[in-house]
């Protein structure tokens, strides 16, 4: 596989920004989720610009560099989950682009988003219950946490769509000349 210099340079710059955002998430505690979400959005930019293979390489490199450089490794794991979600939905989108005859593609896409998210989210909430919560919680609170995650996914996904369409859409022409 031949990698073009422009692709490599741009990917390197985005990788540097991703690692900086992960590290800043450890330093600026009040903006941790915002910075981790912004870092994971770079995975989507790489996938859309250079393809799924380049996006997977970028994602793996970001996680490995995050573990090496970020002070709080728990935030790197959070980034890894967010970045995997972004890579997964982009992979589903690319798969759907080839299926023009498929009906209700938007519905399938939305269901896929929630399936990808919940495959990661629900086991984490149950397996790491003691790490996430300081005391024992009831099943009703657990149901609330799971429902809150679904609402959080909706907000995160809308933010990602906005960044791709408006922010990156405006910057793309200036950056990738």
């Amino acid at each position: 596989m031949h990698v073009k210099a422009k692709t490599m340079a741009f990917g390197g710059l985005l990788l540097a920004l991703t690692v900086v955002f992960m590290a800043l998430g450890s330093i600026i505690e009040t903006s941790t989720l915002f910075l981790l979400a912004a870092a994971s959005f770079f995975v989507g930019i790489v996938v859309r610009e250079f393809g799924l293979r380049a996006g997977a390489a970028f994602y793996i490199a970001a996680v490995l560099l995050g573990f090496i450089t970020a002070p709080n490794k728990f935030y790197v794991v959070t980034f890894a989950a967010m970045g995997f979600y972004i890579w997964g939905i982009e992979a589903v989108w690319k798969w759907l682009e080839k299926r023009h005859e498929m009906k209700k593609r938007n519905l399938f896409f939305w269901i896929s988003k929630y399936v990808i998210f919940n495959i990661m989210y629900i086991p984490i909430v149950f397996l790491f219950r003691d790490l996430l919560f300081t005391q024992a919680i009831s099943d009703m609170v657990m149901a609330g946490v799971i429902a809150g995650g679904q609402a959080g996914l909706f907000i995160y996904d809308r933010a990602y769509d906005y960044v791709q369409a408006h922010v990156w859409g405006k910057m793309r022409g200036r950056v990738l000349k």
Side-chain angles (χ1 to χ4, degrees), residues 25-60:
S26 298
I27 296 167
I28 307 170
E29 293 287 331
T30 56
S31 299
T32 298
L33 278 178
F34 171 79
L35 290 166
L36 292 176
S40 69
F41 292 169
F42 293 130
V43 174
I45 291 172
V46 171
V47 169
R48 287 192 182 187
E49 295 299 326
F50 307 117
L52 286 172
R53 291 177 71 192
F58 178 87
Y59 168 73
I60 291 167

